[in-house]
Amino acid sequence: MASSPKSPKSDHASNPPASNVPALGPKPLTLEEQNAAGLLPASHWAAQPLEEDDTVDDAASSLGSFTSTTASLTSSIYQYRTVHGRTYHGEVGNAEAWEPNDQRHVEAMELFHHAMMVQLDGKLYLSPLEKKNVHQVLDVGTGSGLWAVDFADEYPNAEVIGTDVSPIQPSWVPPNVKFEIDDCNSDWTWAENSFDFIHMRMLAGVVSDWDKLFRNAFRCCKPGGYVESLGSGIHFLSDDGSVKEGTALHQWAKVFGEAGKKMGRPFTVYEDDLQRKGMKAAGFVDIEFKDIQCPLGVWHPDKKAAERGLWYKLAVEEDLEGYIKYLLNLVMGWTPVETKRFAAHARKEWNDPNVHGYFWLRVVYGRKPE
């Protein structure tokens, strides 16, 4: 297994997380606050007609099962929170991840990993890495761990460490991969100048202070090394007006935007340009970015764009309710039945060929000066 470049007194094994299961997030918005934010009530979606097929549980997938096993870690880490039948990580620092960590969502994350590679034309990263110079790699918020595993396969001489607040990564991995429990919002305990490459993907709603995140990354990155961040916008757009105000897709950004404010962990990473601003403030140079338009579904006439939309649609629909249940309960105080109704409307619009929606992904990378 890969060795950890941490100082001995900061080793995870010597400081297991507390055994108490953390309390749930802040109280939902009041009806007055919801109205002020332009959020439509659950009664609105209950009143909108749906075909029977639109209400099918999104757990039913024709893609089969993506299996994953968990690593053997401190038992207290497995004391998960349960919200409306879905499990979320136990107490790790001040973490408050909004995605479930149960098997159903792990399978969705594994599919999501492939969807993200399709967005990057089959690549794991865009940074101009030189293979001979890559020896230590950190994947922040590794999720299911597939990015770390794939990178380790591509770079067999590099040691790859993936961190997350949930121990949901596979146990059978290449010998140059290891996974550790860590909250990226805490002060990083890695030694200075530890990594040749630090990778982050889809941390919206997770990071409380993006400037601090990149300051930590700058300190731990080796001179000449790269840090890369992939994030997305929360607004579903359309050039022809087919994503209409008052629809579920239009409401999506309002829900996620208000949830980020409520938690103190913004989802507006793309909208507020948090990646580039954070990298620049931390001291990175040669900062480059690439914006990628991802359609909602397969409506786009360009074959590559349609493929990007197809895989993103499949990944999200694998557990659509899992992506929104915690936030709708947190922000709106909705029940599982109410959340399922909203998800059905979102799915219906997503699959409507007359809705030409899309959103933006942004990849940003920068180099630490030598």
Side-chain angles (χ1 to χ4, degrees):
M1 298 293 282
S3 60
S4 171
K6 288 190 175 184
S7 59
K9 65 181 180 181
S10 63
D11 186 29
H12 282 284
S14 62
N15 291 286
S19 59
N20 294 329
V21 178
L24 300 183
K27 293 181 179 179
L29 296 173
T30 64
L31 289 177
E32 292 75 14
E33 290 172 328
Q34 292 181 33
N35 290 334
L39 294 166
L40 296 173
S43 58
H44 170 84
W45 305 108
Q48 305 304 309
L50 280 172
E51 298 293 333
E52 184 176 349
D53 290 345
D54 294 325
T55 60
V56 173
D57 191 337
D58 60 20
S61 170
S62 60
L63 295 176
S65 175
F66 291 76
T67 60
S68 175
T69 57
T70 57
S72 177
L73 295 168
T74 308
S75 60
S76 61
I77 296 168
Y78 294 101
Q79 295 186 351
Y80 297 153
R81 299 169 295 162
T82 300
V83 181
H84 291 320
R86 305 300 297 269
T87 61
Y88 300 80
H89 67 85
E91 185 172 359
V92 181
N94 295 315
E96 188 185 349
W98 52 276
E99 291 188 52
N101 63 2
D102 48 30
Q103 182 60 29
R104 177 176 170 184
H105 200 70
V106 169
E107 293 172 1
M109 285 193 284
E110 291 176 343
L111 187 56
F112 192 86
H113 168 66
H114 179 75
M116 289 298 97
M117 289 193 64
V118 172
Q119 311 304 316
L120 301 185
D121 292 325
K123 299 175 183 177
L124 289 168
Y125 58 88
L126 297 184
S127 298
L129 304 181
E130 294 186 28
K131 204 161 192 175
K132 63 180 181 179
N133 295 330
V134 178
H135 307 291
Q136 297 283 345
V137 177
L138 177 64
D139 184 30
V140 180
T142 194
S144 67
L146 290 190
W147 186 95
V149 170
D150 284 352
F151 191 94
D153 284 337
E154 188 174 321
Y155 284 75
N157 296 321
E159 294 182 332
V160 183
I161 298 174
T163 65
D164 205 274
V165 295
S166 284
I168 56 175
Q169 299 76 34
S171 56
W172 291 97
V173 296
N176 57 327
V177 176
K178 72 178 298 187
F179 298 112
E180 298 189 4
I181 296 298
D182 207 4
D183 175 17
C184 65
N185 291 300
S186 301
D187 290 331
W188 291 15
T189 52
W190 308 106
E192 189 174 352
N193 302 329
S194 292
F195 299 102
D196 301 289
F197 184 44
I198 299 176
H199 174 260
M200 314 170 187
R201 186 171 70 184
M202 304 302 276
L203 296 181
V206 172
V207 177
S208 56
D209 185 340
W210 282 82
D211 284 349
K212 178 183 177 181
L213 177 75
F214 286 115
R215 286 196 302 270
N216 277 324
F218 185 87
R219 183 183 65 79
C220 295
C221 185
K222 293 180 183 178
Y226 282 86
V227 170
E228 179 168 318
S229 169
L230 187 157
S232 72
I234 58 173
H235 287 85
F236 293 142
L237 311 168
S238 62
D239 294 336
D240 60 359
S242 54
V243 176
K244 301 182 183 299
E245 187 171 353
T247 60
L249 294 181
H250 186 266
Q251 282 281 297
W252 189 280
K254 294 181 182 294
V255 170
F256 276 77
E258 290 302 314
K261 293 177 185 177
K262 194 77 173 176
M263 295 190 298
R265 303 165 192 267
F267 281 92
T268 52
V269 177
Y270 174 86
E271 286 81 359
D272 294 335
D273 202 11
L274 298 179
Q275 298 153 289
R276 287 195 297 177
K277 289 178 180 177
M279 283 192 186
K280 184 177 181 180
F284 289 98
V285 298
D286 299 334
I287 298 172
E288 300 288 343
F289 77 98
K290 180 178 181 179
D291 285 348
I292 302 165
Q293 186 190 63
C294 183
L296 300 179
V298 297
W299 61 266
H300 204 287
D302 178 78
K303 184 178 179 180
K304 274 194 169 183
E307 184 181 11
R308 293 198 301 271
L310 170 64
W311 280 102
Y312 194 86
K313 175 179 116 64
L314 291 174
V316 174
E317 287 188 343
E318 184 74 6
D319 188 18
L320 176 57
E321 289 178 32
Y323 283 109
I324 64 176
K325 181 170 283 188
Y326 185 76
L327 300 180
L328 283 175
N329 173 259
L330 173 74
V331 179
M332 312 282 275
W334 286 6
T335 66
V337 172
E338 292 168 336
T339 297
K340 186 174 182 178
R341 186 76 180 187
F342 177 83
H345 282 286
R347 190 183 303 111
K348 177 183 178 182
E349 295 167 19
W350 204 305
N351 287 283
D352 186 342
N354 296 314
V355 176
H356 303 146
Y358 64 88
F359 67 97
W360 288 103
L361 290 159
R362 173 168 290 169
V363 182
V364 183
Y365 61 83
R367 181 177 60 85
K368 181 174 178 176
E370 297 183 64

